[in-house]
Amino acid sequence: MSTHPPQAADMGNGPTTDAGTPGIGARLWRRDLAHYPDPARRYGYLAIVVVTTVVLYYMLYVQYAVATSIITNYHMSYTYFVWVSVIGNAVGAFTSLIAGFADRWGRANLVVYGLLVAGLLLLLGLPNSPNETAYLILFAAVGFVEGIVLVATPALIRDFSPQLGRATAMGYWTMGPVLGSLVVTVVTSSTLDSSTWQDELRYSGIAGLIMFVIALLGLRELSPGMRDQVMVSLHDRKLVEARAERAAPVRESQQTWRQMLHLDVVGSAIAISLFLLLYFAAVGNFVVYFSANFGYSQQRTNGLANWYWGANAIALVVAGLLSDLVKVRKPFMLVGGLGSIAVTSTFAVLATHPHTGYYTFAVLFIGIGALSGIAYAPWMASFTETVERRNPAATATGLAVWGWIIRIVVAVSSAFVPIVVTSASPLVEHGTEVATAQAQAAPALAVVDAHPEIFAQLAKYPPTAIPPALAQQAAREVGPADLALVQKAQPQLKILREHGPEVRKAVADGPGQWQTWWWVTVGGQIVFIPFIFVMAGRWSPKKAREDAERHRGYVDSEVSALADEGARPTS
């Protein structure tokens, strides 16, 4: 944890006002707090931010849970659907940078009004898209909002959580994407029997608008003078408030951005983004993967994913609590990272085994989810502390750099999945219709297989131009009833002729190609390990406690000095 003394603000968003500013319009825009909130209010603000994050990711991820239905509805190719995700994430990447500049408008305002826009898009926009192009554009708009909120919400969590309790708070925040995924899978696995994919999107939009109202009325934020300082514990409150009153806030500059462009910030952001490659694949590709390779329905896959999200959510909170208790981050990151590499490698090995059972995957997902959670919650706390080590007033800037990098990694990795897994496209686009045609035409195929030579001759001619001699031969050898059966199955046989070979090849190639991608995700986890060592924080709990005690003594002396200065008569 950082032991640097609190610093005066060097950026801001203009004069601050208290939450009690008269006037409805002012209250709904000016959200600055003049004083650090008491515990009840602070926990309330943190809860709003966490639930907001859950709802936002519910809205963002719901399309992946009904991916096959959306592809079928718009007659999209699988590649086109992937590019919907790629473009949405690319837009989100650049709006993450915008959030760093737009922070002067208020972190809380970015969250509140982002919820409004996203809720309307999911309730009214995406479900009513007239074609695939409109759907792509509207999903890119959702990505625009998500990129901004991705930066603003952890910045608010950091503001309302001193360093000695930050891993717990970040554990709850990082549950946002995870619980968002869990909500998606729980809702869809429970309602898809009676709901359309459009309904699933609308449900998430309604949730977003409900959360907008709650955040509009209840969410506040620290004044720039307070949030731009390091706060190690609540014991620092008096000093932080006193310095905030004397701070002369200025807007961010090129210098604050340059301060973030160092290995400990940029390298760590790249490392965690690569570490989460399997998570991104779970969100975007599990439905496709398990449908194509194991024949799971959308509901069954979403039910399986619940094991991953549930274990991950629990581990995030438990790891955060333990990290704060022992006052270190790095050991948790190392244990979680190495453990995740081991379990993900096992999953990659089993990717080529078609008889791997449902509960085998469930156990693996519990392991991966728990271990990645042990690494991620302490990482988020350590990352904000690493940014504070550079400049506490540039927290939003540092998180903007992280937000940009993670969205770019998501976009690039999404684009590479269909390149590595070439079997996905034919299976998603034609696998179901080929399987259906195969089942419907089974009796006719049995007839054809019993008389391959005669049907090979018949296939050379259109049905109305078969030579009489050949027709008579077919009637003798096959029989009129079986010929009629084959004739009736011609639409299904046509599908099998056109798409059967490529689907059969995809079925054969798919497991190996997916296994290659799972090994890529293992590689991303390996890259994560060395970057643990460049981040802020101690390895030893004993030394971390000594740092905290020294900081407490420093704060007491500074408060006493300020009190003496205030009591000194002026001339």
Side-chain angles (χ1 to χ4, degrees), residues 108-350:
N109 283 328
L110 295 177
V111 171
V112 170
Y113 297 105
L115 276 169
L116 174 62
V117 174
L120 292 174
L121 286 169
L122 268 297
L123 178 64
L124 303 175
L126 285 165
N128 299 311
S129 300
N131 53 54
E132 60 185 16
T133 302
Y135 187 92
L136 184 153
I137 292 170
L138 290 173
F139 187 77
V142 176
F144 183 97
V145 174
E146 187 268 345
I148 291 174
V149 180
L150 177 72
V151 172
T153 48
L156 286 167
I157 293 289
R158 173 265 176 190
D159 294 345
F160 287 121
S161 57
Q163 287 185 355
L164 293 182
R166 187 169 301 163
T168 303
M170 283 297 179
Y172 283 107
W173 179 82
T174 50
M175 283 202 314
V178 175
L179 287 182
S181 301
L182 184 60
V183 170
V184 168
T185 56
V186 168
V187 173
T188 53
S189 61
S190 302
T191 60
L192 266 176
D193 280 338
S194 57
S195 302
T196 65
W197 69 266
Q198 292 95 334
D199 292 331
E200 299 297 342
L201 268 59
R202 292 186 186 107
Y203 298 154
S204 71
I206 291 169
L209 293 177
I210 292 171
M211 198 62 224
F212 158 70
V213 174
I214 294 172
L216 178 71
L217 300 177
L219 187 59
R220 296 290 178 267
E221 64 183 327
L222 298 183
S223 68
M226 284 191 287
R227 75 189 187 205
D228 290 349
Q229 302 180 58
V230 174
M231 193 170 186
V232 174
S233 72
L234 291 175
H235 181 71
D236 301 0
R237 176 176 175 174
K238 289 183 179 179
L239 181 60
V240 167
E241 289 184 343
R243 286 181 164 174
E245 292 177 359
R246 303 177 179 207
V250 295
R251 292 178 176 177
E252 72 282 331
S253 64
Q254 291 182 353
Q255 178 62 25
T256 60
W257 285 90
R258 283 197 295 268
Q259 288 172 334
M260 296 300 106
L261 300 181
H262 290 272
L263 179 67
D264 54 348
V265 176
V266 176
S268 299
I270 293 172
I272 195 64
S273 301
L274 295 175
F275 179 81
L276 293 173
L277 280 175
L278 181 65
Y279 170 83
F280 303 144
V283 171
N285 300 112
F286 268 10
V287 168
V288 172
Y289 171 69
F290 282 101
S291 172
N293 293 279
F294 295 93
Y296 288 5
S297 67
Q298 291 180 126
Q299 284 178 286
R300 185 169 174 80
T301 301
N302 288 325
L304 177 61
N306 287 342
W307 296 98
Y308 184 110
W309 309 130
N312 195 233
I314 293 169
L316 287 166
V317 175
V318 172
L321 287 166
L322 292 175
S323 179
D324 284 336
L325 181 66
V326 298
K327 298 179 173 59
V328 293
R329 319 295 190 205
K330 292 179 178 179
F332 291 90
M333 289 188 271
L334 185 61
V335 170
L338 292 175
S340 185
I341 290 169
V343 183
T344 306
S345 297
T346 304
F347 172 66
V349 169
L350 294 176

Side-chain angles (χ1 to χ4, degrees), residues 489-510:
Q490 283 305 306
Q492 290 77 26
L493 295 173
K494 181 174 184 291
I495 291 172
L496 294 176
R497 285 195 300 271
E498 292 179 351
H499 303 298
E502 64 173 335
V503 168
R504 284 192 294 272
K505 185 177 187 303
V507 169
D509 296 343

Side-chain angles (χ1 to χ4, degrees), residues 454-455 457-459 461-481 483-484:
I454 191 67
F455 280 103
Q457 291 295 320
L458 290 171
Y461 303 95
T464 57
I466 297 174
L470 182 58
Q472 292 173 4
Q473 180 184 355
R476 286 195 308 272
E477 294 184 14
V478 180
L483 282 175

Side-chain angles (χ1 to χ4, degrees), residues 532-569:
I532 297 171
F533 296 85
V534 304
M535 300 182 75
R538 295 285 195 180
W539 286 93
S540 165
K542 179 181 177 181
K543 291 184 178 180
R545 285 194 299 271
E546 292 172 354
D547 288 344
E549 290 169 3
R550 279 196 298 271
H551 179 79
R552 186 180 182 90
Y554 166 80
V555 170
D556 288 340
S557 65
E558 287 293 300
V559 171
S560 296
L562 288 171
D564 292 342
E565 183 179 336
R568 194 177 301 133

